[in-house]
Amino acid sequence: KLIMKKDTILKEITKEAIKDVLKYIIKLDSVEDIEFLNIEFPKIENKKADVLVKANDKIIHIEFQTKNDKDMLYRELRYFVEIQKNYQNFEIYQYVIFIGKEKLTMQNVLKKRNITYNYEIIDMKKLDCEEFFKINSPEAVVLSILCDFKDKNEREIIKRILSRLLQLTKNENEFKKYHIIHCLHFCIQ
């Protein structure tokens, strides 16, 4: 069985594909003008956000999660406080994109007497990889590898990803830009 390190792939494609993540996974309109932001979170065990961007009048914070984390709600709340402190005039939108194999069990709502807080969780297992093959963007096609393949053969899906990337890229050099997927080609032969 083909073993894929989805978190490694994520780290490689995130900057290239963030507009497609925002558009096709988070369903955000108008993502043409985005700016990557960098905030150190010293009070959060020296953590750094996976993705933090400014898109128009919004700050969008995305964490990719491969396993359930019983403390994710509180971690996201701490991120929220730090981001809000630095960008007080912006609305903050937080998403955890879950790509784990196990059943999603993380909580995303906190309701106490003095506070109500929530963030969104997107479970990639619920997204059909076939939908990403229809998009005319190589980055979106690469994102299909994060979806659950359901009962489909992994090798066949990888072949389809490669085939679709070849259709969407202009030449071999552009195709090689997606070197992670290109490397998978050799794994399945």
Side-chain angles (χ1 to χ4, degrees):
K1 185 168 174 141
L2 178 64
I3 298 172
M4 297 181 297
K5 289 288 244 176
K6 289 184 178 182
D7 54 343
T8 303
I9 292 168
L10 265 175
K11 299 296 183 201
E12 292 292 322
I13 66 170
T14 298
K15 293 223 180 208
E16 289 293 319
I18 191 59
K19 284 185 180 181
D20 286 327
V21 168
L22 294 172
K23 190 172 183 179
Y24 299 113
I25 295 176
I26 293 176
K27 310 286 187 208
L28 184 71
D29 297 333
S30 180
V31 294
E32 297 312 311
D33 186 28
I34 66 167
E35 174 187 345
F36 283 89
L37 304 173
N38 188 11
I39 295 179
E40 293 286 329
F41 296 102
K43 296 174 180 103
I44 309 176
E45 302 96 31
N46 291 323
K47 288 276 189 181
K48 191 172 184 181
D50 286 347
V51 176
L52 188 62
V53 296
K54 182 170 69 166
N56 303 324
D57 60 342
K58 301 171 178 72
I59 301 293
I60 300 159
H61 168 225
I62 302 169
E63 289 294 315
F64 293 98
Q65 194 68 21
T66 57
K67 295 182 185 229
N68 285 297
D69 179 349
K70 64 180 176 48
D71 295 324
M72 182 58 80
L73 176 63
Y74 300 103
R75 190 168 118 203
E76 287 299 298
L77 178 57
R78 290 188 313 238
Y79 279 132
F80 177 83
V81 169
E82 289 295 323
I83 295 166
Q84 189 66 67
K85 185 171 77 174
N86 284 278
Y87 296 95
Q88 294 178 15
N89 296 326
F90 292 88
E91 289 294 320
I92 312 287
Y93 294 80
Q94 289 183 285
Y95 301 89
V96 168
I97 298 177
F98 183 67
I99 56 172
K101 287 284 186 189
E102 70 253 16
K103 181 182 176 188
L104 174 63
T105 60
M106 290 181 288
Q107 299 298 311
N108 66 328
V109 176
L110 176 67
K111 287 189 180 191
K112 299 288 183 181
R113 186 178 65 80
N114 294 339
I115 188 169
T116 299
Y117 166 78
N118 70 290
Y119 66 93
E120 272 192 65
I121 300 177
I122 298 169
D123 189 349
M124 290 299 288
K125 288 190 302 292
K126 301 205 179 205
L127 300 182
D128 186 358
C129 64
E130 298 289 332
E131 293 301 312
F132 290 90
F133 295 139
K134 298 175 188 173
I135 301 168
N136 288 325
S137 161
E139 287 84 7
V141 171
V142 171
L143 290 173
S144 69
I145 201 160
L146 301 177
C147 298
D148 186 32
F149 298 164
K150 308 284 183 225
D151 58 353
K152 299 172 182 114
N153 181 289
E154 287 182 344
R155 290 178 184 268
E156 291 305 313
I157 294 294
I158 299 298
K159 286 179 183 178
R160 287 190 59 208
I161 292 170
L162 290 167
S163 174
R164 187 72 174 116
L165 279 174
L166 282 169
Q167 290 174 352
L168 293 172
T169 53
K170 296 178 181 92
N171 55 48
E172 190 175 334
N173 284 337
E174 190 177 334
F175 176 75
K176 285 182 179 178
K177 179 170 111 176
Y178 306 98
H179 64 278
I180 294 292
I181 300 299
H182 187 66
C183 291
L184 288 175
H185 173 70
F186 297 105
C187 294
I188 62 173
Q189 290 186 346

